[in-house]
Amino acid sequence: MDEVLVVCPHCGKVNRASREKLAGGLRPDCGACGATLFPGAIEAKDDADFERHVARTNLPILVDFWAAWCGPCKMMAPQFAAAAKKMDGSARFLKVDTESLQQTAARFNIRSIPTMVMIVNGREIARQAGATDASNIIRWAMSHGVHA
Ligand code: ZN
């Protein structure tokens, strides 16, 4: 598949991008609103927004389930962001605040945070609980088929 489908984190429009150009380092802007499609890790706005990303993105999606009260989550946030910067364009790095997206947290049966979940073609293929650093996140993603 040569085309990547990705949801604009700003306006929600589904955009198409060339996989080859993404691999070459190009980071396109949204055709509708002009926002960058790959700003690093992005926050799902609500449960519907999360569903839209999952349903309409054909890149692997790495989800970081977190909450503001969770100390280890705060420690992990910059690590997740760093991994996102490195792998943006090969995967979508999506954050889910489990306090506001309770429906999504329940659907994924999140029992402890932080928890990372990898979604490919709408299905969970892997998960890992506990805080970790950027190099481990990258290694974990690569072991599940994401290119660095
Ligand atoms: Zn947009």
Side-chain angles (χ1 to χ4, degrees), residues 65 84 88 102 107 122 147:
F65 288 91
D88 222 7
Q102 293 183 2
R107 182 157 85 76
H147 302 289

Side-chain angles (χ1 to χ4, degrees), residues 64-82:
D64 173 23
F65 288 91
W66 71 284
W69 50 262
C70 158
C73 297
K74 277 183 198 156
M75 282 166 49
M76 182 165 152
Q79 302 296 323
F80 190 75

Side-chain angles (χ1 to χ4, degrees), residues 8 11 30 33:
C8 172
C11 74
C30 175
C33 76

Side-chain angles (χ1 to χ4, degrees), residues 60-62 87 90-91 93 118 138 140-148:
I61 301 177
L62 252 84
M87 303 184 105
S90 302
F93 283 69
M118 168 94 73
I138 290 167
W140 186 73
M142 287 178 79
S143 76
H144 293 98
V146 180
H147 302 289

Side-chain angles (χ1 to χ4, degrees), residues 7-15 29-37:
V7 176
C8 172
H10 186 69
C11 74
K13 183 179 165 57
V14 178
N15 282 256
D29 294 334
C30 175
C33 76
T36 179
L37 293 173

Side-chain angles (χ1 to χ4, degrees), residues 114-135:
T115 289
M116 273 193 310
V117 170
M118 168 94 73
I119 298 170
V120 175
N121 297 325
R123 289 178 194 283
E124 173 177 342
I125 62 158
R127 75 166 57 193
Q128 180 177 292
T132 186
D133 65 16
S135 58

Side-chain angles (χ1 to χ4, degrees), residues 29-76:
D29 294 334
C30 175
C33 76
T36 179
L37 293 173
F38 293 98
I42 59 171
E43 193 75 48
K45 293 172 190 145
D46 51 35
D47 292 305
D49 186 47
F50 176 84
E51 288 305 327
R52 184 169 173 77
H53 278 285
V54 168
R56 307 300 298 274
T57 303
N58 68 357
L59 289 172
I61 301 177
L62 252 84
V63 188
D64 173 23
F65 288 91
W66 71 284
W69 50 262
C70 158
C73 297
K74 277 183 198 156
M75 282 166 49
M76 182 165 152

